[in-house]
Amino acid sequence: MKQYTTLFIDLDNTLYDFSGNSREAYRVVYELLGYERWFDSFEHYFAIYEEYNLQLWALYAEGKISKEKLNSERYAHPLRVVGVPDADAIGARFWDEAMLRLPLGNRLMPHAREVLGYLRPKYRMYILSNGFTELQSRKMQSAGIADYFDGIILSEDVGFNKPHPAIFEYALQIAGVTVAESLMIGDNIEVDIMGAQRVGLDQVFYNVDQLSLDDERLLSISPTYTIASLLELKSLL
C-alpha cells in the first residue's frame, strides 16, 4: 500500500449520520407545523421528499442549480404533490424550522469515532464536503468530532462542488500536499470517488448503500479501494 500522509474525508453519511439525524429533525418539524393535515403519515411525506431531494442534490453537485433553488424546491415539492396551496411559503417555513434543528443531531455512522481515534495520530485529516457552511461545523461540534480534523473545506467557500476538479485541487493546495500522498474517503461513488479520480487522487469508496460488486457504477468508476464498514480503514491504513 502507498504511504499516505493526508486524508480528505466526506462528512455526511460517511462520518456523520446525516440521513438518520435529518430524518429525526424533519419528523419534529412535520409535527410542529401540522403536516398531518396533508399527508397520510410522516413516512408518506418523507418518501416524496427524499426521492426529489436526491435528484436536486445531484443537480446541485453538477452546478446546475443554486443552493437557494435546492432548498426552496425540496421543501415545496412534497406540498405541491398533495396539492397544498402556498407550497413555496409553507416549505420555506419548514426549512427555517429545520435549520434550527439539523445541526443538533449527534448520531455518527457505525464505528466512526473509533476509526477517527485510530487515524488521528497517523494522518493529517480534512473534511471535504458539499454541505452548507452554516451547518457543517455545528454538526461536527454536536457530534463531538471537530477536534479530529486539521481543517474543513466546503464547496460553498471554494465556489465549486464535488465532483468538480477545482475543489480537490483547492483542498490539496490548502493542505500543502501532493496527489501522491493523499487519499479521499467518501460514500458517494459519483461525487467523492469520480471527483477524486479526475485529479488523480486515490480513493476509498465507503459502500454504505451496499452496491453490488458488479454494479455498473462500480465497474465503470473502479475505486482504488472499496469498504463496507469504516472499521476496514484500520487494516487498510
Side-chain angles (χ1 to χ4, degrees):
M1 149 130 347
K2 291 170 62 174
Q3 295 300 307
Y4 303 105
T5 66
T6 304
L7 309 178
F8 297 105
I9 309 178
D10 176 59
L11 181 61
D12 291 335
N13 294 330
T14 297
L15 297 174
Y16 182 83
D17 183 6
F18 183 72
S19 294
N21 287 319
S22 62
R23 188 184 181 97
E24 290 179 4
Y26 290 162
R27 185 186 294 275
V28 171
V29 179
Y30 173 94
E31 295 172 355
L32 174 70
L33 299 184
Y35 269 38
E36 68 275 3
R37 290 172 287 172
W38 304 306
F39 298 92
D40 296 337
S41 64
F42 172 74
E43 285 68 28
H44 176 210
Y45 164 80
F46 194 77
I48 298 171
Y49 164 83
E50 189 172 40
E51 180 180 7
Y52 197 53
N53 182 54
L54 290 172
Q55 296 173 28
L56 291 170
W57 269 102
L59 293 173
Y60 178 71
E62 295 170 6
K64 294 181 177 178
I65 61 172
S66 66
K67 169 186 172 180
E68 291 73 24
K69 184 72 169 178
L70 165 65
N71 286 327
S72 64
E73 285 298 306
R74 61 177 171 158
Y75 296 110
H77 174 75
L79 298 166
R80 293 194 195 112
V81 168
V82 296
V84 177
D86 300 322
D88 289 345
I90 297 170
R93 173 79 190 284
F94 193 103
W95 171 234
D96 289 341
E97 295 291 344
M99 276 288 288
L100 299 174
R101 294 162 176 82
L102 285 172
L104 304 180
N106 59 11
R107 290 171 52 177
L108 294 171
M109 299 299 285
H111 314 295
R113 195 180 309 279
E114 175 186 348
V115 170
L116 287 174
Y118 169 81
L119 295 175
R120 180 57 183 161
K122 304 172 183 292
Y123 300 93
R124 297 173 66 209
M125 297 196 295
Y126 293 83
I127 289 293
L128 184 55
S129 170
N130 279 356
F132 302 142
T133 304
E134 65 267 33
L135 291 179
Q136 300 304 72
S137 295
R138 293 167 62 196
K139 284 154 53 176
M140 292 172 66
Q141 291 289 345
S142 294
I145 60 172
D147 290 344
Y148 288 105
F149 293 92
D150 295 278
I152 304 173
I153 300 166
L154 302 177
S155 60
E156 265 197 288
D157 299 329
V158 179
F160 294 94
N161 297 318
K162 295 179 295 182
H164 197 288
I167 188 172
F168 294 94
E169 292 165 352
Y170 178 85
L172 291 165
Q173 180 182 353
I174 288 295
V177 292
T178 65
V179 164
E181 60 188 312
S182 306
L183 182 69
M184 177 70 205
I185 303 170
D187 71 293
N188 190 301
I189 190 74
E190 286 90 6
V191 172
D192 298 313
I193 306 308
M194 188 170 68
Q197 285 182 351
R198 288 176 176 174
V199 296
L201 192 64
D202 283 357
Q203 336 86 42
V204 176
F205 173 49
Y206 178 19
N207 191 7
V208 174
D209 295 328
Q210 299 181 328
L211 298 181
S212 168
L213 292 179
D214 59 2
D215 185 281
E216 183 179 337
R217 286 174 293 173
L218 264 180
L219 292 174
S220 62
I221 295 175
S222 188
T224 312
Y225 312 102
T226 298
I227 60 174
S229 166
L230 290 178
L231 278 179
E232 294 177 55
L233 290 174
K234 294 178 70 172
S235 57
L236 189 65
L237 296 170

